Amino acid sequence: MNIHEYQGKEILKSFGVRVQEGMVAETPEQAVEAAKALNEQTGTEWWVVKAQIHAGGRGKGGGVKLAKSLEEVREKASKIIGMQLVTPQTGPEGKKVSKVLIAQDVYYPGASEHQEFYMSVLLDRASGRNIIMYSPEGGMDIEEVAAKSPDKIFKEEIDPKVGLQPFQARKVAFNLGLKGDAFKDMVKFVSALYKAYEATDSSLFEINPVLKTSDDKILAVDSKVNLDDNALYRHPDYAAMRDLAEEDPTEVEAGKSNLNYVKLDGNVGCMVNGAGLAMATMDIIKLAGGDPANFLDVGGTASAKTVEAAFHIILQDPNVKAILINIFGGIVRCDRVAQGVIDAYQNIGDINIPIIVRLQGTNAEEAKKLIDESGLQVYSAIALQEAADLVTEVLKN
Amino acid sequence: MSILVNKDSKVIVQGFTGSEGSFHASQMIEYGTNVVGGVTPGKGGNYHLELPVFNTVAEAVAETGANVSIIFVPPAFAADAIMEAAAEGVELIVAITEGIPTRDMIQVKSYLSDRKARLIGPNCPGVITPGEAKVGIMPGFVFKSGGIGIVSKSGTLTYEAADQVVKAGLGISTAVGIGGDPIIGTTTKEAVELLMNDPETDGIVMIGEIGGGMEAEAARWIKENPGKPVVGFIAGQTAPPGRRMGHAGAIVGGAEDTAAAKMKIMAECGITVVESPARIGEAMAEALGKVGA
């Protein structure tokens, strides 16, 4: 699950990770109030207005602005709130901004130069262990750093038997070239960050940049926090941070029917049991000359009820010109699934696009007979290639 | 010979009396798997499906000599169940459970690293050696006995592949569903290696999907250790980057874990890569023909 920057910072702060202080606002008036309160709390006289959406690259799209007076806070907040923010990660349609974070200015001048670093915590799938990945090249896209200067990316692997050790935190601080108070503060920062990662069951922390201020403090200027969906049952308070407005409404609805749905841009919808077969079905649609309109896994039991719910979800997409249902019946009998398809079809009524039903496995022949004799505008197939050929055929018409 | 499970496997079911455990245990027994009992803490001393129920894996192993355990325990308790089986000397642990938190699996992997147990899964359909033992949730009738080993991250796609292999006039030695999670007990490479060393396996079908580097690792191993034809398919050629496709591990994170990148590496390593999932059986029959000629 993704959460907003301001929510991620709240979580980090609760584990003793120093963050750039800020307050969230939904109107320009609230933004000004937040700026005043921040001034009292931190003494900051400049502020950063940051759009809160679930996507990176917000600065590039004009979603992050410096304000040097309360008047500028109002002006910049009113521009950003309500805007359709397009970043390299949102796609061309962008995302609507409904909240901004008013944050303190942490790039104030002082005794030393400030410095930006990159730091993330994530699972290394090859070793099955968490790693801290960090680089002295902060503030840039880490993919860019990896391509241009891979020697500037460091990794520290955490042994799950003992957790992060102090020597490892010191190594991070040394490799980042820190000394004195900044060194000590970085050791504290890394330890607190890793503790937070584990305790929150996160699947990714990405802090870019981590800042060394001109008075040698280490703090998180941004936060990207992804939480492990499978562990949310342990953290009802974090689960409540889910922002449904950031998600595709059809995907949210599918989730309520226990359907695993991801919307894509193509013209052929699909309904499949099992995630692997669902991806394979998307691939075969492409090879058959179509483009998959979605990923949809109906799960282990494809009953009339789930099939009907899946039909409703797929039919909401106006781009869908045909639907391929691909069920491999194992424990579920194909004739039952076929009956489910027929019932759902009749309940919904006017389905005006061709449906191809491929049922293979237990009682596949009986299922094909049921479909063929139903009198519905439904094509039936048993072999996967047959189904693919039918997709090609209906797209031609 | 086959790999991992056979007619001599003595299987216990953890989460035996729950609805999933009961249903699939009875299916396994019907298939002919030698299920010797089950474990449900607090229900020890009873009988279920005419088999003894034990409170602990320790008791179950002591009383029945079980060497294989299949786990249907809910996600919140599954990691504990896996570690219990490993602690009591069970040799093969098959974890069906979907949705175990990653933090738990990091602990499990570390716990298993200095024990002899092999873990298959989690979030997998299990293992089947046709005609001998089904330790999983797959429809047994699809898998006819023969010489093709299957390794796959997915459930229904494994059944699809097995069905095609059988319809191409071949059969299955052992099919292993290794699971679709980011952390799994047995990797693609490890399963391929077992099949490559099995005298009764003549060819291998390797099915992967987007995400992670396991298929590339297996492909490089195959290049170094050739001997049997391998047919490969990667699901998710049309999956958009950054989106999770059902399986917790099925997400394109970088350039290296896309379907296209994996397929390229596999082909370079001598694997017959099929673009269409409808061609798996056919390609295997062709590959075997070529080797025989």
Side-chain angles (χ1 to χ4, degrees), chain A residues 119-133:
Chain A
M119 194 171 294
S120 59
V121 189
L122 70 162
L123 172 72
D124 173 33
R125 289 172 61 155
S127 65
R129 292 175 170 196
N130 290 321
I131 54 170
I132 298 173
M133 191 158 83

mmCIF file with all atom_site columns, all heavy atoms in Angstrom, chain A residues 119-133:
data_model
loop_
_atom_site.group_PDB
_atom_site.id
_atom_site.type_symbol
_atom_site.label_atom_id
_atom_site.label_alt_id
_atom_site.label_comp_id
_atom_site.label_asym_id
_atom_site.label_entity_id
_atom_site.label_seq_id
_atom_site.pdbx_PDB_ins_code
_atom_site.Cartn_x
_atom_site.Cartn_y
_atom_site.Cartn_z
_atom_site.occupancy
_atom_site.B_iso_or_equiv
_atom_site.pdbx_formal_charge
_atom_site.auth_seq_id
_atom_site.auth_comp_id
_atom_site.auth_asym_id
_atom_site.auth_atom_id
_atom_site.pdbx_PDB_model_num
ATOM 1   N N   . MET A 1 119 ? 18.843 7.551   0.365  1.00 0.00 ? 119 MET A N   1
ATOM 2   C CA  . MET A 1 119 ? 18.814 6.358   1.204  1.00 0.00 ? 119 MET A CA  1
ATOM 3   C C   . MET A 1 119 ? 17.494 5.625   1.040  1.00 0.00 ? 119 MET A C   1
ATOM 4   O O   . MET A 1 119 ? 16.432 6.239   0.995  1.00 0.00 ? 119 MET A O   1
ATOM 5   C CB  . MET A 1 119 ? 18.993 6.744   2.682  1.00 0.00 ? 119 MET A CB  1
ATOM 6   C CG  . MET A 1 119 ? 19.300 5.549   3.578  1.00 0.00 ? 119 MET A CG  1
ATOM 7   S SD  . MET A 1 119 ? 19.769 6.068   5.230  1.00 0.00 ? 119 MET A SD  1
ATOM 8   C CE  . MET A 1 119 ? 21.308 6.910   4.900  1.00 0.00 ? 119 MET A CE  1
ATOM 9   N N   . SER A 1 120 ? 17.572 4.294   0.906  1.00 0.00 ? 120 SER A N   1
ATOM 10  C CA  . SER A 1 120 ? 16.348 3.502   0.886  1.00 0.00 ? 120 SER A CA  1
ATOM 11  C C   . SER A 1 120 ? 16.558 2.220   1.680  1.00 0.00 ? 120 SER A C   1
ATOM 12  O O   . SER A 1 120 ? 17.690 1.795   1.896  1.00 0.00 ? 120 SER A O   1
ATOM 13  C CB  . SER A 1 120 ? 15.922 3.197   -0.553 1.00 0.00 ? 120 SER A CB  1
ATOM 14  O OG  . SER A 1 120 ? 16.934 2.496   -1.229 1.00 0.00 ? 120 SER A OG  1
ATOM 15  N N   . VAL A 1 121 ? 15.450 1.653   2.136  1.00 0.00 ? 121 VAL A N   1
ATOM 16  C CA  . VAL A 1 121 ? 15.484 0.341   2.788  1.00 0.00 ? 121 VAL A CA  1
ATOM 17  C C   . VAL A 1 121 ? 14.517 -0.527  2.012  1.00 0.00 ? 121 VAL A C   1
ATOM 18  O O   . VAL A 1 121 ? 13.390 -0.097  1.716  1.00 0.00 ? 121 VAL A O   1
ATOM 19  C CB  . VAL A 1 121 ? 15.041 0.415   4.270  1.00 0.00 ? 121 VAL A CB  1
ATOM 20  C CG1 . VAL A 1 121 ? 15.307 -0.915  4.978  1.00 0.00 ? 121 VAL A CG1 1
ATOM 21  C CG2 . VAL A 1 121 ? 15.727 1.551   4.993  1.00 0.00 ? 121 VAL A CG2 1
ATOM 22  N N   . LEU A 1 122 ? 14.950 -1.704  1.647  1.00 0.00 ? 122 LEU A N   1
ATOM 23  C CA  . LEU A 1 122 ? 14.092 -2.588  0.855  1.00 0.00 ? 122 LEU A CA  1
ATOM 24  C C   . LEU A 1 122 ? 14.554 -4.033  0.952  1.00 0.00 ? 122 LEU A C   1
ATOM 25  O O   . LEU A 1 122 ? 15.626 -4.314  1.494  1.00 0.00 ? 122 LEU A O   1
ATOM 26  C CB  . LEU A 1 122 ? 14.042 -2.138  -0.612 1.00 0.00 ? 122 LEU A CB  1
ATOM 27  C CG  . LEU A 1 122 ? 15.284 -2.316  -1.472 1.00 0.00 ? 122 LEU A CG  1
ATOM 28  C CD1 . LEU A 1 122 ? 14.908 -2.224  -2.943 1.00 0.00 ? 122 LEU A CD1 1
ATOM 29  C CD2 . LEU A 1 122 ? 16.326 -1.264  -1.166 1.00 0.00 ? 122 LEU A CD2 1
ATOM 30  N N   . LEU A 1 123 ? 13.716 -4.926  0.407  1.00 0.00 ? 123 LEU A N   1
ATOM 31  C CA  . LEU A 1 123 ? 14.045 -6.342  0.401  1.00 0.00 ? 123 LEU A CA  1
ATOM 32  C C   . LEU A 1 123 ? 14.927 -6.647  -0.803 1.00 0.00 ? 123 LEU A C   1
ATOM 33  O O   . LEU A 1 123 ? 14.617 -6.266  -1.924 1.00 0.00 ? 123 LEU A O   1
ATOM 34  C CB  . LEU A 1 123 ? 12.756 -7.170  0.301  1.00 0.00 ? 123 LEU A CB  1
ATOM 35  C CG  . LEU A 1 123 ? 12.946 -8.673  0.085  1.00 0.00 ? 123 LEU A CG  1
ATOM 36  C CD1 . LEU A 1 123 ? 13.477 -9.332  1.343  1.00 0.00 ? 123 LEU A CD1 1
ATOM 37  C CD2 . LEU A 1 123 ? 11.644 -9.332  -0.344 1.00 0.00 ? 123 LEU A CD2 1
ATOM 38  N N   . ASP A 1 124 ? 16.031 -7.355  -0.555 1.00 0.00 ? 124 ASP A N   1
ATOM 39  C CA  . ASP A 1 124 ? 16.822 -7.889  -1.659 1.00 0.00 ? 124 ASP A CA  1
ATOM 40  C C   . ASP A 1 124 ? 16.299 -9.308  -1.904 1.00 0.00 ? 124 ASP A C   1
ATOM 41  O O   . ASP A 1 124 ? 16.520 -10.214 -1.107 1.00 0.00 ? 124 ASP A O   1
ATOM 42  C CB  . ASP A 1 124 ? 18.305 -7.915  -1.279 1.00 0.00 ? 124 ASP A CB  1
ATOM 43  C CG  . ASP A 1 124 ? 19.140 -8.618  -2.340 1.00 0.00 ? 124 ASP A CG  1
ATOM 44  O OD1 . ASP A 1 124 ? 18.782 -8.507  -3.528 1.00 0.00 ? 124 ASP A OD1 1
ATOM 45  O OD2 . ASP A 1 124 ? 20.121 -9.283  -1.975 1.00 0.00 ? 124 ASP A OD2 1
ATOM 46  N N   . ARG A 1 125 ? 15.572 -9.462  -2.998 1.00 0.00 ? 125 ARG A N   1
ATOM 47  C CA  . ARG A 1 125 ? 14.896 -10.748 -3.220 1.00 0.00 ? 125 ARG A CA  1
ATOM 48  C C   . ARG A 1 125 ? 15.874 -11.897 -3.380 1.00 0.00 ? 125 ARG A C   1
ATOM 49  O O   . ARG A 1 125 ? 15.573 -13.026 -3.003 1.00 0.00 ? 125 ARG A O   1
ATOM 50  C CB  . ARG A 1 125 ? 13.981 -10.642 -4.446 1.00 0.00 ? 125 ARG A CB  1
ATOM 51  C CG  . ARG A 1 125 ? 12.771 -9.784  -4.157 1.00 0.00 ? 125 ARG A CG  1
ATOM 52  C CD  . ARG A 1 125 ? 11.945 -9.487  -5.378 1.00 0.00 ? 125 ARG A CD  1
ATOM 53  N NE  . ARG A 1 125 ? 11.428 -10.717 -5.989 1.00 0.00 ? 125 ARG A NE  1
ATOM 54  C CZ  . ARG A 1 125 ? 10.324 -10.740 -6.739 1.00 0.00 ? 125 ARG A CZ  1
ATOM 55  N NH1 . ARG A 1 125 ? 9.646  -9.646  -6.941 1.00 0.00 ? 125 ARG A NH1 1
ATOM 56  N NH2 . ARG A 1 125 ? 9.914  -11.854 -7.272 1.00 0.00 ? 125 ARG A NH2 1
ATOM 57  N N   . ALA A 1 126 ? 17.050 -11.627 -3.929 1.00 0.00 ? 126 ALA A N   1
ATOM 58  C CA  . ALA A 1 126 ? 18.006 -12.709 -4.168 1.00 0.00 ? 126 ALA A CA  1
ATOM 59  C C   . ALA A 1 126 ? 18.489 -13.324 -2.857 1.00 0.00 ? 126 ALA A C   1
ATOM 60  O O   . ALA A 1 126 ? 18.634 -14.534 -2.748 1.00 0.00 ? 126 ALA A O   1
ATOM 61  C CB  . ALA A 1 126 ? 19.180 -12.184 -4.982 1.00 0.00 ? 126 ALA A CB  1
ATOM 62  N N   . SER A 1 127 ? 18.709 -12.498 -1.837 1.00 0.00 ? 127 SER A N   1
ATOM 63  C CA  . SER A 1 127 ? 19.231 -13.031 -0.575 1.00 0.00 ? 127 SER A CA  1
ATOM 64  C C   . SER A 1 127 ? 18.116 -13.270 0.441  1.00 0.00 ? 127 SER A C   1
ATOM 65  O O   . SER A 1 127 ? 18.319 -13.942 1.441  1.00 0.00 ? 127 SER A O   1
ATOM 66  C CB  . SER A 1 127 ? 20.261 -12.070 0.021  1.00 0.00 ? 127 SER A CB  1
ATOM 67  O OG  . SER A 1 127 ? 19.632 -10.851 0.379  1.00 0.00 ? 127 SER A OG  1
ATOM 68  N N   . GLY A 1 128 ? 16.927 -12.725 0.180  1.00 0.00 ? 128 GLY A N   1
ATOM 69  C CA  . GLY A 1 128 ? 15.840 -12.843 1.154  1.00 0.00 ? 128 GLY A CA  1
ATOM 70  C C   . GLY A 1 128 ? 16.107 -12.018 2.404  1.00 0.00 ? 128 GLY A C   1
ATOM 71  O O   . GLY A 1 128 ? 15.632 -12.339 3.489  1.00 0.00 ? 128 GLY A O   1
ATOM 72  N N   . ARG A 1 129 ? 16.922 -10.970 2.252  1.00 0.00 ? 129 ARG A N   1
ATOM 73  C CA  . ARG A 1 129 ? 17.224 -10.108 3.400  1.00 0.00 ? 129 ARG A CA  1
ATOM 74  C C   . ARG A 1 129 ? 16.972 -8.651  3.049  1.00 0.00 ? 129 ARG A C   1
ATOM 75  O O   . ARG A 1 129 ? 17.020 -8.270  1.875  1.00 0.00 ? 129 ARG A O   1
ATOM 76  C CB  . ARG A 1 129 ? 18.704 -10.254 3.789  1.00 0.00 ? 129 ARG A CB  1
ATOM 77  C CG  . ARG A 1 129 ? 19.020 -11.618 4.341  1.00 0.00 ? 129 ARG A CG  1
ATOM 78  C CD  . ARG A 1 129 ? 20.500 -11.738 4.581  1.00 0.00 ? 129 ARG A CD  1
ATOM 79  N NE  . ARG A 1 129 ? 20.777 -12.955 5.339  1.00 0.00 ? 129 ARG A NE  1
ATOM 80  C CZ  . ARG A 1 129 ? 21.916 -13.191 5.971  1.00 0.00 ? 129 ARG A CZ  1
ATOM 81  N NH1 . ARG A 1 129 ? 22.880 -12.294 5.938  1.00 0.00 ? 129 ARG A NH1 1
ATOM 82  N NH2 . ARG A 1 129 ? 22.089 -14.297 6.640  1.00 0.00 ? 129 ARG A NH2 1
ATOM 83  N N   . ASN A 1 130 ? 16.768 -7.839  4.084  1.00 0.00 ? 130 ASN A N   1
ATOM 84  C CA  . ASN A 1 130 ? 16.614 -6.406  3.855  1.00 0.00 ? 130 ASN A CA  1
ATOM 85  C C   . ASN A 1 130 ? 17.978 -5.770  3.639  1.00 0.00 ? 130 ASN A C   1
ATOM 86  O O   . ASN A 1 130 ? 18.972 -6.209  4.214  1.00 0.00 ? 130 ASN A O   1
ATOM 87  C CB  . ASN A 1 130 ? 15.928 -5.740  5.045  1.00 0.00 ? 130 ASN A CB  1
ATOM 88  C CG  . ASN A 1 130 ? 14.470 -6.137  5.139  1.00 0.00 ? 130 ASN A CG  1
ATOM 89  O OD1 . ASN A 1 130 ? 13.777 -6.257  4.127  1.00 0.00 ? 130 ASN A OD1 1
ATOM 90  N ND2 . ASN A 1 130 ? 14.001 -6.372  6.360  1.00 0.00 ? 130 ASN A ND2 1
ATOM 91  N N   . ILE A 1 131 ? 17.988 -4.735  2.812  1.00 0.00 ? 131 ILE A N   1
ATOM 92  C CA  . ILE A 1 131 ? 19.226 -3.984  2.635  1.00 0.00 ? 131 ILE A CA  1
ATOM 93  C C   . ILE A 1 131 ? 18.949 -2.486  2.804  1.00 0.00 ? 131 ILE A C   1
ATOM 94  O O   . ILE A 1 131 ? 17.826 -2.034  2.562  1.00 0.00 ? 131 ILE A O   1
ATOM 95  C CB  . ILE A 1 131 ? 19.875 -4.218  1.247  1.00 0.00 ? 131 ILE A CB  1
ATOM 96  C CG1 . ILE A 1 131 ? 18.885 -3.932  0.115  1.00 0.00 ? 131 ILE A CG1 1
ATOM 97  C CG2 . ILE A 1 131 ? 20.404 -5.623  1.116  1.00 0.00 ? 131 ILE A CG2 1
ATOM 98  C CD1 . ILE A 1 131 ? 19.526 -3.907  -1.258 1.00 0.00 ? 131 ILE A CD1 1
ATOM 99  N N   . ILE A 1 132 ? 19.996 -1.775  3.217  1.00 0.00 ? 132 ILE A N   1
ATOM 100 C CA  . ILE A 1 132 ? 19.957 -0.315  3.183  1.00 0.00 ? 132 ILE A CA  1
ATOM 101 C C   . ILE A 1 132 ? 20.796 0.082   1.977  1.00 0.00 ? 132 ILE A C   1
ATOM 102 O O   . ILE A 1 132 ? 21.948 -0.326  1.847  1.00 0.00 ? 132 ILE A O   1
ATOM 103 C CB  . ILE A 1 132 ? 20.544 0.310   4.465  1.00 0.00 ? 132 ILE A CB  1
ATOM 104 C CG1 . ILE A 1 132 ? 19.705 -0.119  5.681  1.00 0.00 ? 132 ILE A CG1 1
ATOM 105 C CG2 . ILE A 1 132 ? 20.595 1.834   4.353  1.00 0.00 ? 132 ILE A CG2 1
ATOM 106 C CD1 . ILE A 1 132 ? 20.310 0.311   7.000  1.00 0.00 ? 132 ILE A CD1 1
ATOM 107 N N   . MET A 1 133 ? 20.173 0.803   1.067  1.00 0.00 ? 133 MET A N   1
ATOM 108 C CA  . MET A 1 133 ? 20.887 1.234   -0.133 1.00 0.00 ? 133 MET A CA  1
ATOM 109 C C   . MET A 1 133 ? 21.080 2.738   0.012  1.00 0.00 ? 133 MET A C   1
ATOM 110 O O   . MET A 1 133 ? 20.129 3.431   0.364  1.00 0.00 ? 133 MET A O   1
ATOM 111 C CB  . MET A 1 133 ? 20.050 0.891   -1.361 1.00 0.00 ? 133 MET A CB  1
ATOM 112 C CG  . MET A 1 133 ? 20.767 1.036   -2.656 1.00 0.00 ? 133 MET A CG  1
ATOM 113 S SD  . MET A 1 133 ? 19.976 0.029   -3.921 1.00 0.00 ? 133 MET A SD  1
ATOM 114 C CE  . MET A 1 133 ? 18.683 1.124   -4.423 1.00 0.00 ? 133 MET A CE  1
#
